[in-house]
Amino acid sequence: MINHFCKKPLWECTRVLADVAEGRRSADVVIKDAQLVNVCTAEIQEHIDVAIAEGRIAYVGDADHCIGEHTHVIDASGLFIAPGFLDGHIHVESSMMGAGEYARAVVPHGTSGIYWDPHEICNVLGLEGVKVMMEDAERTPLKAMVTTPSCVPAVPGFEDTGSFIGPQEIAESMSWDGVVGLGEMMNFVGVVNSTEHAHGELVETLKADKVVTGHYSIPETDRGLNAYIASGVRCCHESTRAEDALAKMRLGQYAQLRYGSAWHDLPELAHAITDNDIDTRFANLVSDDTHPHTLVEDGHLDHVLRIAVKCGIPVIEAIQMVTINVATCFRMDNELGSITPGKCADIVFLDGLDTLQVTRMMIDGEIVAENGRALFDYPRFQFPEWVTHSMHLGREITPDDFIVSAPEGAQDGDQVNVRAIEIIPAKVGTFEAHVGLTVEDGQLKSELGQDVLKTFVFERHHETGTVGVGFTKGFGIKRGAMASTVAHDAHNLLVVGTNDEDMALAANTLAKCGGGMVVVADGEVLGLVELPIAGLMNDLGAVEMSEKVHSVEQAWAEIGCTMPSPFMTMALIPLACLPELRLTNRGLVDCTTFQFVDLIIEESESE
């Protein structure tokens, strides 16, 4: 695979690199007297110099012979150096920032490259939206390597999105310079059952000699997993049990151990490594979804590394999981992932392996961040107007739109059994709960005593008027309502609440501001994050976005919710490729059988 992400392709600078290594030519930069984290041999090498030319590493050893009159010498005595960190699975849109501001936030934390799946904006605005995101990213030193969204919609036939991606679109995108593979194949059902659509996308990716990334979210590790991997899917970030991650690694699939703002799977998944005497070359660490508050307060992959070490993973192995293992997964280890001759000079400086605090960041041989501050700057990206006008409901939403009528024949005071989506804090999965609701005024209402809330999904892309109706359980809300246009992956308008008036206020507030996240109570807006860019992002920086998100999380707490990053958990309610029960604009989906199911449970079903 040709790498378009280094300062210069290797074929343009082979002679220069050889000359510098031999001392016939001076290096541009020499790092002196560092402690090298050698991810190739899993050891620490003392008193190592690194000579850099043309943005690449020319020599590793004692580099005095590479220093000339114009060489920039960096004294690294007392510091550790490691390859720049690579995130093997990330959705930039989940940061609620554009790609440029995202780069400014993560590079100071040691991140030199991301393999990003922009399927959030693609579900709203298609490949043209992806191109806009790529234009923003290209202005930065961050190596933003795209995996083309594969599942738009996530599960065909179960939701309405703003766009559609099929084999033809995948084939087109594989010719783009910035694309290195296929985004997470969430339609694992289509893969294991050999549907033409799913395999058509795999075929176009493999024909282009690029990497297929995965999403296998069910606890089945025999025939289905074998079929999935045999079809060419190289990695998967959806393990939630240690045995799932271990099974994937044993079958030669890269298990991407996830720790994001809301998905805290790593402490469980770490047992796949700490409880077994295994080679960890097929393990990656990824963040998947990270809120701006996490990036500002905790960091990015440096934070994930600290969590991994806390979970018992040896520090050098953990660093391998964000460097050489990731580069090898994407078949780019000939260019990235190690501090060795010929590779891109992407180097992170650490004050110690106990703290893993990043003091300096170098990409392509240039210092791009120091002491937590990005050293690159550029004007604020100008998003096209069509990107910032993506709310197309076609009408104002009223409190009457949230009435859930009781089944015919039911009388006030009767109990009606319904299916409810029971959330799991800090996890992506849900349970199908069966809940008895009391009929009141001929309606089924939210019942706070059972922690059960009305939940609606309104289609917002094409004014179809379709609405999904359901109930959720587990948020702990005591009053008010919440709404969001960040509603994976179709990103329709999701509303959850205790009463119809507040739910209507929440919905209309987002319709007026172009999308975002809002908390209301008693007719008042308590917290609002405006996300006018596709209803997913804002053009503000990380600190400003962190403050906005923090205020909304405080509003959640004010109405009774104490779970971590509750908006991220809420945002997965419509995602029909995750077990067990989900709600899209077309209705309730049983995500174990992939069938629509009724809200009301018939007596024969409950027996």
Side-chain angles (χ1 to χ4, degrees):
M1 181 187 298
I2 296 176
N3 176 20
H4 299 274
F5 299 95
C6 287
K7 182 177 181 180
K8 284 189 177 181
L10 184 57
W11 66 75
E12 288 187 6
C13 46
T14 57
R15 294 179 65 185
V16 171
L17 296 176
D19 284 346
V20 171
E22 286 286 353
R24 293 188 294 268
R25 178 171 175 158
S26 300
D28 299 328
V29 179
V30 168
I31 301 169
K32 288 289 296 179
D33 198 28
Q35 298 180 77
L36 171 64
V37 180
N38 193 319
V39 295
C40 299
T41 53
E43 62 178 328
I44 304 297
Q45 292 180 271
E46 304 282 346
H47 307 297
I48 293 295
D49 303 342
V50 179
I52 298 166
E54 306 283 28
R56 291 179 177 269
I57 297 165
Y59 175 88
V60 179
D62 181 352
D64 285 344
H65 66 291
C66 304
I67 298 175
E69 181 181 355
H70 301 291
T71 301
H72 179 206
V73 178
I74 299 174
D75 180 7
S77 56
L79 297 176
F80 291 81
I81 59 173
F85 303 152
L86 302 170
D87 195 333
H89 182 71
I90 177 69
H91 304 290
V92 169
E93 302 97 315
S94 294
S95 72
M96 290 175 272
M97 298 180 288
E101 292 301 328
Y102 176 84
R104 200 197 303 271
V106 301
V107 167
H109 291 283
T111 303
S112 60
I114 58 172
Y115 294 87
W116 59 314
D117 180 351
H119 72 198
E120 319 299 358
I121 196 166
C122 193
N123 268 277
V124 180
L125 300 175
L127 289 180
E128 291 304 310
V130 173
K131 287 181 180 178
V132 172
M133 290 279 286
M134 292 173 70
E135 289 174 16
D136 188 10
E138 285 168 1
R139 305 180 303 148
T140 79
L142 179 69
K143 299 180 183 202
M145 295 163 278
V146 172
T147 58
T148 303
S150 64
C151 296
V152 180
V155 185
F158 287 89
E159 61 188 347
D160 291 289
T161 59
S163 185
F164 172 82
I165 297 294
Q168 182 176 345
E169 290 78 15
I170 296 301
E172 174 200 337
S173 72
M174 289 299 145
S175 65
W176 299 356
D177 281 349
V179 170
V180 300
L182 186 69
E184 57 177 301
M185 177 49 76
M186 291 180 285
N187 188 10
F188 59 86
V189 176
V191 174
V192 300
N193 289 313
S194 297
T195 66
E196 183 176 351
H197 178 86
H199 280 264
E201 294 189 343
L202 301 181
V203 166
E204 294 301 336
T205 306
L206 297 172
K207 280 167 59 178
D209 194 29
K210 298 190 177 182
V211 171
V212 177
T213 68
H215 173 120
Y216 190 82
S217 59
I218 59 174
E220 191 279 338
T221 57
D222 187 30
R223 294 184 182 184
L225 181 58
N226 273 268
Y228 194 63
I229 296 172
S231 299
V233 184
R234 192 163 171 84
C235 55
C236 178
H237 64 281
E238 279 296 336
S239 301
T240 57
R241 305 181 308 167
E243 54 263 43
D244 298 334
L246 182 59
K248 290 167 185 175
M249 288 188 279
R250 283 173 169 167
L251 292 174
Q253 185 177 69
Y254 285 84
Q256 299 173 310
L257 315 183
R258 173 173 54 193
Y259 196 88
S261 293
W263 328 131
H264 298 171
D265 297 308
L266 179 55
E268 167 61 25
L269 299 179
H271 288 286
I273 294 163
T274 58
D275 295 355
N276 297 281
D277 183 17
I278 61 169
D279 190 316
T280 57
R281 74 180 71 184
F282 280 97
N284 294 170
L285 297 173
V286 301
S287 64
D288 195 0
D289 294 303
T290 309
H291 265 188
H293 190 61
T294 301
L295 294 175
V296 171
E297 294 296 321
D298 300 319
H300 184 219
L301 290 172
D302 55 338
H303 173 53
V304 180
L305 278 172
R306 288 188 283 270
I307 297 296
V309 173
K310 185 177 180 181
C311 292
I313 297 175
V315 64
I316 297 179
E317 289 186 15
I319 292 174
Q320 288 176 315
M321 293 176 194
V322 293
T323 56
I324 195 167
N325 292 12
V326 183
T328 305
C329 172
F330 286 90
R331 296 191 287 115
M332 295 177 69
D333 53 306
N334 62 319
E335 298 272 45
L336 308 174
S338 65
I339 299 178
T340 51
K343 307 304 187 295
C344 298
D346 303 338
I347 299 172
V348 57
F349 293 70
L350 302 164
D351 66 357
L353 297 188
D354 51 347
T355 63
L356 293 169
Q357 291 294 327
V358 177
T359 61
R360 180 182 290 125
M361 186 62 200
M362 177 179 283
I363 295 179
D364 289 335
E366 297 183 8
I367 297 172
V368 293
E370 282 192 317
N371 299 318
R373 184 173 64 90
L375 301 181
F376 52 94
D377 201 6
Y378 36 76
R380 182 170 290 181
F381 186 72
Q382 296 299 310
F383 288 90
E385 187 175 349
W386 58 269
V387 173
T388 60
H389 290 80
S390 65
M391 292 293 291
H392 305 293
L393 290 168
R395 63 188 177 92
E396 183 170 347
I397 294 173
T398 71
D400 287 348
D401 289 316
F402 296 97
I403 292 174
V404 182
S405 298
E408 186 177 353
Q411 304 295 316
D412 284 2
D414 289 351
Q415 287 276 306
V416 175
N417 289 326
V418 302
R419 290 180 171 86
I421 301 167
E422 184 171 0
I423 61 158
I424 309 169
K427 297 291 183 182
V428 299
T430 64
F431 298 122
E432 178 180 321
H434 292 180
V435 179
L437 299 180
T438 302
V439 178
E440 181 183 345
D441 300 326
Q443 302 174 30
L444 300 179
K445 301 184 179 183
S446 298
E447 290 196 9
L448 304 188
Q450 299 189 70
D451 196 9
V452 175
L453 303 175
K454 286 184 181 181
T455 304
F456 284 68
V457 178
F458 296 83
E459 194 277 327
R460 62 119 169 162
H461 304 294
H462 303 294
E463 301 184 14
T464 64
T466 55
V467 184
V469 181
F471 288 88
T472 51
K473 179 178 175 64
F475 280 112
I477 301 302
K478 305 303 181 187
R479 62 193 182 98
M482 309 82 67
S484 179
T485 52
V486 180
H488 301 286
D489 277 336
H491 298 293
N492 287 306
L493 174 59
L494 170 64
V495 188
V496 179
T498 64
N499 67 87
D500 301 344
E501 290 73 19
D502 281 340
M503 293 175 79
L505 173 60
N508 289 318
T509 299
L510 295 188
K512 290 174 183 176
C513 71
M517 308 184 305
V518 66
V519 176
V520 306
D522 304 320
E524 178 185 358
V525 175
L526 303 182
L528 171 65
V529 179
E530 302 94 338
L531 301 175
I533 302 169
L536 303 171
M537 295 167 284
N538 201 306
D539 63 358
L540 299 176
V543 173
E544 294 166 290
M545 288 306 298
S546 174
E547 292 172 354
K548 283 181 170 290
V549 173
H550 184 58
S551 69
V552 170
E553 290 186 338
Q554 287 181 316
W556 271 82
E558 188 176 335
I559 62 174
C561 183
T562 59
M563 63 190 294
S565 296
F567 260 113
M568 295 190 82
T569 301
M570 175 175 147
L572 293 188
I573 287 172
L575 187 49
C577 61
L578 290 174
E580 295 178 346
L581 187 66
R582 303 284 162 168
L583 177 68
T584 75
N585 68 293
R586 295 193 184 185
L588 280 171
V589 183
D590 182 329
C591 299
T592 60
T593 63
F594 288 93
Q595 295 178 326
F596 285 109
V597 292
D598 293 330
L599 174 64
I600 308 299
I601 301 171
E602 301 296 335
E603 290 186 13
S604 59
E605 294 180 84
S606 59
E607 291 176 355

